[in-house]
Amino acid sequence: MERSKLKNSKGLVVVVDKSLNKLVGKEYFPEKLKKVNEILAKSGLPKLDK
């Protein structure tokens, strides 16, 4: 989209820093992730019926 159209648009414009691409696919805090997955396996997710 052109800059003039972006300036005049009413929506939000989000620019993502390309240096974050190096973080894709890495696993952070593996011990906490394992614990959370175990908890979710036992209790499950809440029902969101409205």
Side-chain angles (χ1 to χ4, degrees):
M1 194 179 269
E2 295 175 12
R3 256 180 205 251
S4 61
K5 288 182 181 178
L6 286 174
K7 279 185 162 183
N8 295 331
S9 69
K10 301 236 185 232
L12 294 174
V13 177
V14 178
V15 178
V16 178
D17 189 4
K18 294 192 190 276
S19 67
L20 294 175
N21 287 338
K22 65 182 177 184
L23 302 176
V24 173
K26 291 186 178 180
E27 189 175 300
Y28 297 96
F29 310 107
E31 61 280 346
K32 289 186 179 185
L33 184 61
K34 182 180 177 184
K35 183 177 178 182
V36 168
N37 284 333
E38 288 173 0
I39 292 171
L40 285 175
K42 289 179 186 175
S43 63
L45 294 173
K47 303 290 184 208
L48 299 176
D49 295 334
K50 290 183 180 181

